[in-house]
Amino acid sequence: MIGGLTLFALFFAVLAGTSLLLGTYLARVFSDRPPRIPLVTHLEAGTYRLLGVDPQREHTWKEYATGLLLVNLLGLLVFYAILRLQGWLPLN
């Protein structure tokens, strides 16, 4: 069995490794050099196609606000359903 300090060190090593990879990826996404990861590129293009999004067009403030409110409403409904159905959910 792994000791407490060893598990703690392993957790932070995994956290540091994934944060470096994710940080590098996000830095490239938000710069002028988009990342060239085939799996991510295909998933992103498929998601855009499925949702009917044009990645070259920017949203207006009204579209952004509408999207933000809809996502928050959806999250509220999902969490409310989880709370209401707690008695019948698995692993309760």
Side-chain angles (χ1 to χ4, degrees):
M1 185 161 187
I2 299 176
L5 289 177
T6 307
L7 188 61
F8 191 70
L10 180 65
F11 170 75
F12 277 105
V14 170
L15 186 66
T18 55
S19 66
L20 287 173
L21 293 173
L22 184 62
T24 304
Y25 173 75
L26 287 175
R28 291 183 65 103
V29 166
F30 292 117
S31 70
D32 293 332
R33 307 165 299 147
R36 302 282 184 233
I37 302 172
L39 177 65
V40 174
T41 306
H42 291 307
L43 287 174
E44 185 179 39
T47 304
Y48 285 156
R49 213 174 14 258
L50 180 70
L51 297 175
V53 173
D54 180 11
Q56 300 303 317
R57 189 179 75 81
E58 290 191 15
H59 287 279
T60 64
W61 72 270
K62 291 178 184 178
E63 292 171 331
Y64 183 80
T66 303
L68 182 70
L69 290 173
L70 287 174
V71 165
N72 281 308
L73 178 64
L74 179 66
L76 176 75
L77 293 174
V78 167
F79 289 130
Y80 180 74
I82 289 172
L83 287 173
R84 294 295 293 182
L85 300 172
Q86 236 176 353
W88 297 284
L89 292 175
L91 302 176
N92 185 9

